[in-house]
Every structure is written in C-alpha cells, then in structure tokens.
Amino acid sequence: MAAPDFADLEAVDGVRLTWNVWPNSKVEATKCVVPFAALYTPVKRLPDMPVLPYEPIRCKSCVAVLNPFARVDFIGKMWVCPFCYQRNQFPPHYAAISEQNLPAELFPQYTTIEYSLPLAAPAHPPVFLFLLDTCLIEEELGYLKTAVSQAIGLLPENALVGLITYGSLVYVHELGFGDCPKMFVFRGGKEASQQQVVDQLGLAGAGVGVGAGPGGKVGGVAGGVGGTGHGAVLPGSVARFLLPAQECEFTLSTVLDELGRDAFPVAADKRPARCTGTALTVAVGLLGACVPNTGARILSFVGGPCTEGPGVIVSRELSDPIRSHKDLDKDAAPHYNKAAKFYEGLAKQLVAQGHVLDLFASALDQVGIAEMKVAVERTGGLVALSESYGHTVFKDSLKRVFQQGDASLGLSFNGLLELHCSKDIKVQGAIGPCASLEKKGPSTSDTAISQGHTTQWKLCGLDALTTVAVLFDIATAQQPSGAPSAAASAASQQLHLQFTTSYQHPSGETRLRCTTITRSWVDGSIATADLVAGFDQEAAAVVVARLMSHKMEAEEEYDATRWLDRMLIRVCNKFGDYRKDDPASFSLSPNFSIFPQFLFNLRRSQFVQVFGSSPDETAYFRMALNRENVLNCLVMIQPTLTSYSFNAPPEPALLDVAAIAVDRILLLDAFFSVVIFHGSTIAQWRNAGYHNQPEHQAFAQLLAAPQADATAIMAERFPTPRLVDCDQNGSQARFLLAKLNPSATYNSASTVPGGEVILTDDVSLQVFMEHLQRLAVQS
C-alpha cells in the first residue's frame, strides 16, 4: 500500500493506523517496535457520509452496531456480528431486506455512518459561562472586556450565558435582575462545595437537582434543566444566572462596561490576590446544579497566577519565583502537587457533569496551565496562550471559537466514545482529550496507558479536528506449528475495529457516529514485506510523540531522547535492508524512509527539549499535540518550509539551513507560529521601496504571496498562530533558525551557498543518519 493511500483512507473514515497489516502473534507484534495504535477523529467532517433518521441495530451480545462487514442471511433474516460471531435476528421493519434491497448501513462504501437519534424532549441550548479575571492592569482589562463583548455578539441567540468575575473575591452576576447590577460574593480564600454554591445563590428552592448524573450517561437531562422537563424554559431562580444571549446582551454589556479592576490594593512587593481555583469551583458548582449533563462550557480568562485559595501555584511575595522545569524535576515546587491534586478533583467533577473547561491565558509570566492541564484536557477544552489580551493570537482565537458556517470549529458536546475489537485484540488505553469511564470488558488489556482499563471514554467537548490515539495489544500467543491461531483463522484472516461516538451535534440533536474498519492478519515471521507495506510512518510518528509526551509526565527518571534513539535503532535493525556490519549497504523502504527524519525533528522539538520553555508553555504544546489531527501534529513535530523566488513558483523546501538564500523568501509553518523570512537582498529592495514602483510589480507580487499564504494558514487554525515577519540577520530570524537542520554550523568545514550558519552544537540530520546506520547494522 503506497503512503498516499493512508490519507485517502482517513478521508473516508477519519482513522489512521500505525500498522495497516497486523501480525497474528504477540511475539511478532513486540518485534515490530512501533506501537499498534489508531488515531481516530470522532466528528471529522465527511461530506459523503449519510445521516440516517433512525436508531441503529445492535448485536444482542456485544452491543456492536450493524455494519457492512456483518455476514447476512437474507433468507432467514439474520446477521452475524463480526466481533463476537453472535447470530442476530433483524427487527420486523427490515422484513423487505434482500441483496438488491439493502439498508444504508450494509452498503460496502458506508463504513462510517451517522444516526440522528430521536430526542425524548426538545434539545437543550448550549451554555457558555464566562469567567473573567479582574486582577489586570487597566489596559489589559479594557482589551479583555472588548473581546468578550464581541464574542457574546457572535453567540447563537438561544445560547444561555452566565458571567462570573473574580479577583480577591468571586462575584456571580445575576443577569436576570435588570434593574441594577446585582451579584453574589464568595470568599476567595475558601473552597466552596456545590451544596454551598446552591444554598448561597438561593437555588435550593428551585427544584434543582444537585449533582450530575452518572458520568457515562450522555444527555441525561435531555431538554430539561435540573430534570424539570421544561425544554429551554428555565425555572425562575436558575434563569437569574443563565439567560438566552438575545435577552441579556444589554445587561451583559452594561456589566462589562462598568467592570473595573479588583478593588483590593496590592503592595509593590506583592502579587495580586487572585483566587482562580475558588472561581472555577463556584463555576463548576453553578453549572452542576443548573444544567447537569447538558452541553456547557466554562470560558476561563486568566491573566496571572493563582495566589489565594485552592489551586495556589505561587505565594503573593514577588521575591518567590514561579516554579520552573528545574524546580519540578527536583521536587522543589512547594505548591505544585497540591494544586495538581485540586484540579484533578475538579476534572472528575466536570467529567461527571459533562461540562467543558476552556482556558484563555494571557500574561507575560506563567498562570498555572501546567497544573490546570488535567482539567482542560480531560474535558476536551480549548486552550490559547498569548502575551496580552490585545494580541491577535488571543483576539482571533476567541473569534474562531464562535465562528459559524463551514469555517467553524464544529464544537460538539457530551461525547461518549466506545470501541469494539476482534477477538485477540486488547485495548491498552487512549491518549487525547478524553476521560476513562472505567468500563472493563473482554477487550480491556491488563496494561493501562494514560486513560486505560476501559473501552469507553467521555469526551465532554470535541470538534472537527479532535483526535484520540487508542493503543492496542495483540493478545494471541504463538501457536504450535501447523495450528493456526484464532485470529488467523477467524473471518478470513481479517480483524475488525468499530468506533461508536454518541454526541450532541452543534445543531442540538443527539447523533451516533459509527465507524467500522477491517485490516488483515498475517504471519509476522514470514510476511515482513506485508508488514512494511502496511506501515503508516506519519501516524506512527504522531503516536510515538504522544506516547513519549505521556511518559515524560507520568514516569520519573525517563530519558525521552534515549527512548526515541533505542526505538529507532530497533526499527531500522528489524525493517532495514542491509548486510551485517556494512553501514554503506543500509537502506529503508519508502514506507519507512521519512520515519527517522520525523524522530530526528521530534528529538529537537519543544516536546523533548524543554530548556527555554516554562512548564506552562510545555503543557500548552503537549495539550495541542494530544488533541490535533495527524496533519497538524506532523507540522508541530516537523514544520513545513515553503520557498518563494523570482525563478520558480512557490515550492516546498528542505527544512535545512541550506534553504536560506539572499534572494529568496521562506515561509515556515511551525503550527504555533508562522514565520515569513526575507533574504538579505529581498529585505534591502523592500526597504528601498522598489515594490511601490510600477515597473517592479513582479517584486510586489513576490512579497505579497507569502503574506497571503500565511493569512490563509492562520484563518483556519485554532489557536491562531503567532505571525513573525523577519529578515535575514535580524533578531527574530531565530524563530526560523531554531527549526532548521544545522547542516552548516560555526565549526563546519565549509559554508552553504546562502552563507548562513547556525550557532549550535546539535548534530545535523546527515550525522544522525550515519550513526543510526552504523548502530542498526551491528551484528
């Protein structure tokens, strides 16, 4: 199978597998080195996917959904489940089924299909609770108020909106009281339980059921708030705090206009008293009491570190620095473990309620993303990190959240992902924006990775790019000679995987998407060529990066670089073509040829080399890596470089210092930043204003082309990347040079044609490959 076919398969089903042919024994699977995993995008936009207006038919034994790989007996009106081989009777309304009259779910091309499930009550509108930090300087607070006002104007008219502000104290604004601003105040230094929130806000008498339903139940309060069954009509006392956007837009605008900085004075040698943890507790308690198991998001805007109450990450003394990677490694961060434990508890409460925590952090220093990561990631929340609320990274990212139409993020709520596997395949766990529901079954592996010990995961928030990596274990032992394994003999040597995702669609209806795929079992000891042909190096690089990122956080004394190097040497030793002890004879098949390059760039990336990054930045990068689809993750691991010159149309360039030339413009897409780099001659011509002269239209077009491409990249990405426009030999050229392969350094024997060298002691890709070949061919 050629490499492009894997992307074609993803376009049909939204699934990428690291291996598209699987060995039929555990021993051979272990020799493959790269994990067996699937990268699945549950609500990927699939234009050709049918949506069926009825409930799916399920197997009465394993509850898998009817799919094109089921064997059908048209005479007896029976179908055989490909996962547990149970014979199932078709329901009466399928009586007319025949080979010429098939339902859509049995069409061979519809391996991914969606069901629109009937609702027991009217769909509940989405809820957006804004949580604003007021411990900001006046300028920053002004930027934030303007951005939030614009965002509220972009909300759907029926969306419910609430507002909480906080500084030293937490203020819950009663938007339903339009006569004058009215708010309820909570002490910042004290954690408030959900019952205390309900009592203090006067919700107890409203017939509101406190506490969410079971974590596994999606849409448990369909159409009703607090189980009252009134559809979108809220009980009076709850409607004091959560109102439809069209009704409270004026009140909200008035509150925001009058909102000032936190009134408590701050000494010159102190940090502001900021109670982020308490504010989040109140927000979670309010939503849990009012709208449990309903699509709701807490949009938290944080402008500095939490210094008071639960979730503190640093003391108020400015002489006490915020924790660094070095402090975390040495266990010298006094507040870290307690804060992380607090947010772990908050994450469990959010997952049980089915609500999402989004984080928009804008500050020059750290704000505590490293501690909050667990709550944001488990709930599938969005995160954007910028230097200021006036920066385009923040403003454009916030607009993207509420953008409508084809360019929207496709925000969905309350997802429940379930996985069914063929016999002999065990699920080790999932890495991504999800939470384990601890539902064990015959397909659950004893080894747990990240969100493991389950075949069901909760995805409180998900969008069109949200991608979960599921890791598998092949459980069959090597069979005696001549005795085929169960996996090898079953179903014509085919294995099956089925992903079912029920979720609340942006339109409000509940949908179930079912993706069923099949791949081949082979005898790994003799069919190495088949394994090689089925290797997807792009998906493998992403899975390895996610697994490494997880290990760096979960395991002490873990050396990521050493782990990657050992894996790569073993892969090349197993699948390379060479003569023993002859490095010059080494070669890799096309399906493996770029894999070493991906891992070389991963070794140099911000995911491994945390020096120069704060714990907050590292957590931010890893959350994006664990969330995005294969293409975006690859851009994070190995940025793309495009060259613009007079002599040729825009073309991809090697990610190497040799790509720099004085008469060339380079466009680097590193996902979190987009860099436009002008060669020195181009920069001189531009500074001289040649592009403004009519006779130099070609030069003006050359300057405009990378700007247009950069704008297109930024328009479709979340979070919006930072745009860096720089010139050769300028200070900001470092954003490009840091990502390039250092084939020419300060101690190189010869320089490249562009004359550019990188001041680094890092080895180049060529030296790296020479060492890899030498170690791989050793006998």
Side-chain angles (χ1 to χ4, degrees):
M1 191 181 285
D5 290 346
F6 300 133
D8 294 343
L9 290 172
E10 184 187 20
V12 174
D13 292 317
V15 183
R16 291 282 284 266
L17 299 180
T18 50
W19 299 91
N20 287 272
V21 177
W22 290 28
N24 57 14
S25 77
K26 189 177 181 70
V27 174
E28 290 302 324
T30 307
K31 290 179 183 175
C32 288
V33 187
V34 176
F36 286 81
L39 288 153
Y40 181 53
T41 310
V43 291
K44 179 182 172 71
R45 289 192 177 98
L46 302 172
D48 299 329
M49 178 190 66
V51 179
L52 308 180
Y54 51 82
E55 296 251 9
I57 294 177
R58 292 182 178 270
C59 171
K60 63 186 179 186
S61 173
C62 68
V63 210
V65 174
L66 177 64
N67 58 79
F69 305 108
R71 295 205 303 277
V72 179
D73 174 4
F74 293 105
I75 298 169
K77 308 300 181 198
M78 310 272 286
W79 63 280
V80 179
C81 173
F83 298 98
C84 65
Y85 309 116
Q86 170 73 41
R87 290 177 68 83
N88 297 277
Q89 192 78 40
F90 279 109
H93 58 276
Y94 276 67
I97 190 172
S98 68
E99 289 188 48
Q100 288 74 39
N101 185 23
L102 288 174
E105 58 264 43
L106 288 178
F107 277 42
Q109 69 268 34
Y110 292 154
T111 46
T112 293
I113 203 160
E114 202 158 87
Y115 298 87
S116 179
L117 304 179
L119 292 172
H124 194 281
V127 182
F128 296 93
L129 180 57
F130 290 85
L131 191 68
L132 271 59
D133 178 0
T134 57
C135 293
L136 304 170
I137 60 172
E138 286 291 353
E139 186 183 19
E140 284 293 298
L141 189 60
Y143 289 142
L144 177 57
K145 291 195 295 186
T146 304
V148 171
S149 297
Q150 290 174 347
I152 290 166
L154 296 171
L155 287 172
E157 288 187 349
N158 67 333
L160 300 181
V161 185
L163 178 66
I164 295 176
T165 57
Y166 68 95
S168 307
L169 303 171
V170 182
Y171 304 91
V172 182
H173 294 261
E174 187 176 325
L175 301 176
F177 192 80
D179 301 337
C180 67
K182 181 179 175 184
M183 61 194 85
F184 291 77
V185 184
F186 292 81
R187 275 178 58 192
K190 186 180 177 186
E191 186 174 352
S193 69
Q194 189 175 17
Q195 190 59 53
Q196 288 171 324
V197 172
V198 168
D199 292 342
Q200 189 159 336
L201 296 180
L203 296 173
V208 177
V210 177
K217 188 174 179 185
V218 180
V221 191
V225 176
T228 55
H230 292 299
V233 181
L234 292 167
S237 56
V238 178
R240 289 156 41 206
F241 303 102
L242 298 174
L243 267 79
Q246 60 183 2
E247 290 181 25
C248 67
E249 194 166 354
F250 177 74
T251 311
L252 261 175
S253 300
T254 307
V255 170
L256 288 172
D257 288 344
E258 295 175 358
L259 188 65
R261 289 183 63 199
D262 187 51
F264 286 78
V266 182
D269 61 341
K270 294 271 199 297
R271 294 183 174 91
R274 181 183 280 107
C275 58
T276 312
T278 307
L280 284 168
T281 307
V282 171
V284 172
L286 174 64
L287 289 182
C290 296
V291 284
N293 285 314
T294 304
R297 307 187 84 92
I298 299 171
L299 291 103
S300 174
F301 300 87
V302 185
C306 178
T307 56
E308 190 159 311
V312 166
I313 70 160
V314 68
S315 72
R316 291 194 61 194
E317 302 293 331
L318 276 172
S319 56
D320 182 12
I322 299 181
R323 77 278 177 281
S324 63
H325 277 296
K326 197 172 180 181
D327 295 329
L328 295 179
D329 291 341
K330 291 183 174 179
D331 207 13
H335 304 285
Y336 180 80
N337 290 332
K338 190 176 178 184
K341 188 176 179 183
F342 165 73
Y343 285 111
E344 178 97 29
L346 204 64
K348 287 179 181 172
Q349 193 177 342
L350 280 164
V351 169
Q353 294 173 187
H355 297 153
V356 186
L357 173 61
D358 298 325
L359 185 60
F360 294 88
S362 291
L364 293 171
D365 206 345
Q366 301 181 70
V367 302
I369 296 177
E371 287 84 355
M372 294 185 202
K373 177 178 183 284
V374 61
V376 177
E377 193 163 63
R378 295 264 178 92
T379 61
L382 304 170
V383 59
L385 177 64
S386 60
E387 296 166 4
S388 161
Y389 283 119
H391 202 288
T392 53
V393 169
F394 164 71
K395 292 193 291 188
D396 292 349
S397 296
L398 186 60
K399 283 179 191 168
R400 283 282 288 135
V401 174
F402 303 107
Q403 200 168 356
Q404 302 296 322
D406 293 338
S408 71
L409 292 178
L411 294 180
S412 303
F413 298 95
N414 252 328
L416 182 72
L417 173 64
E418 188 166 6
L419 182 58
H420 297 276
C421 313
S422 290
K423 185 175 179 285
D424 300 324
I425 298 175
K426 305 292 183 190
V427 179
Q428 291 183 315
I431 303 176
C434 59
S436 167
L437 289 178
E438 302 287 339
K439 188 195 175 190
K440 294 188 178 180
S443 298
T444 311
S445 172
D446 296 332
T447 315
I449 295 175
S450 191
Q451 298 299 303
H453 294 311
T454 187
T455 53
Q456 264 190 11
W457 297 269
K458 186 75 175 279
L459 292 89
C460 298
L462 61 167
D463 59 57
L465 294 177
T466 301
T467 302
V468 177
V470 184
L471 291 99
F472 302 100
D473 195 9
I474 295 174
T476 38
Q478 189 75 44
Q479 300 294 316
S481 179
S485 69
S489 59
S492 314
Q493 299 200 341
Q494 292 295 108
L495 63 96
H496 298 90
L497 300 172
Q498 185 178 82
F499 302 86
T500 55
T501 313
S502 61
Y503 67 99
Q504 184 181 324
H505 191 265
S507 65
E509 61 183 349
T510 302
R511 292 202 180 170
L512 178 89
R513 181 175 297 197
C514 176
T515 298
T516 313
I517 60 170
T518 184
R519 296 292 186 268
S520 303
W521 291 112
V522 296
D523 187 342
S525 58
I526 56 173
T528 308
D530 292 339
L531 287 173
V532 169
F535 182 68
D536 183 348
Q537 54 195 340
E538 294 179 351
V542 174
V543 168
V544 167
R546 287 196 186 191
L547 186 57
M548 177 214 68
S549 175
H550 165 68
K551 285 176 174 285
M552 287 183 79
E553 292 180 349
E555 298 178 13
E556 291 183 19
E557 305 298 322
Y558 171 74
D559 188 337
T561 307
R562 191 178 178 86
W563 183 79
L564 289 172
D565 289 348
R566 282 180 167 175
M567 171 181 282
L568 196 49
I569 291 165
R570 288 169 61 204
V571 166
C572 292
N573 183 270
K574 165 80 175 170
F575 296 104
D577 187 14
Y578 57 88
R579 292 188 299 273
K580 284 277 169 67
D581 299 318
D582 182 5
S585 67
F586 181 86
S587 66
L588 282 169
S589 80
N591 276 28
F592 278 89
S593 57
I594 315 175
F595 188 61
Q597 188 177 318
F598 285 143
L599 293 203
F600 168 77
N601 284 294
L602 178 59
R603 290 166 88 253
R604 302 182 71 232
S605 70
Q606 66 268 42
F607 305 113
V608 178
Q609 306 299 336
V610 297
F611 179 79
S613 295
S614 67
D616 272 17
E617 287 172 317
T618 301
Y620 172 60
F621 297 146
R622 287 177 179 164
M623 276 194 275
L625 177 73
N626 286 347
R627 179 188 184 86
E628 291 294 326
N629 63 7
V630 174
L631 189 62
N632 284 343
C633 288
L634 282 175
V635 172
M636 295 180 213
I637 295 166
Q638 181 173 298
T640 61
L641 191 65
T642 310
S643 166
Y644 301 80
S645 66
F646 286 114
N647 309 324
E651 58 185 0
L654 285 174
L655 194 67
D656 192 288
V657 69
I660 296 175
V662 293
D663 59 347
R664 187 183 288 175
I665 303 175
L666 296 176
L667 175 66
L668 177 88
D669 179 8
F671 190 83
F672 301 103
S673 60
V674 174
V675 183
I676 301 174
F677 177 93
H678 302 87
S680 54
T681 303
I682 298 278
Q684 287 168 4
W685 291 346
R686 183 203 60 213
N687 294 341
Y690 289 162
H691 58 293
N692 296 324
Q693 299 173 8
E695 63 269 28
H696 292 118
Q697 283 299 307
F699 180 53
Q701 290 167 1
L702 179 67
L703 286 177
Q707 294 284 354
D709 289 350
T711 304
I713 290 169
M714 294 168 68
E716 61 183 24
R717 183 166 295 164
F718 183 92
T720 303
R722 174 181 179 178
L723 180 65
V724 180
D725 198 335
C726 62
D727 300 335
Q728 190 174 0
N729 304 321
S731 65
Q732 291 200 310
R734 67 185 188 277
F735 286 100
L736 173 73
L737 297 179
K739 298 291 184 184
L740 298 180
N741 170 39
S743 59
T745 64
Y746 67 94
N747 55 9
S748 298
S750 59
T751 57
V752 290
E756 193 71 58
V757 295
I758 295 179
L759 304 176
T760 182
D761 289 319
D762 286 355
V763 298
S764 66
L765 178 60
Q766 185 182 0
V767 175
F768 177 78
M769 289 303 295
E770 287 171 1
H771 283 269
L772 175 62
Q773 289 169 9
R774 184 167 50 79
L775 291 165
V777 302
Q778 281 181 357
S779 53

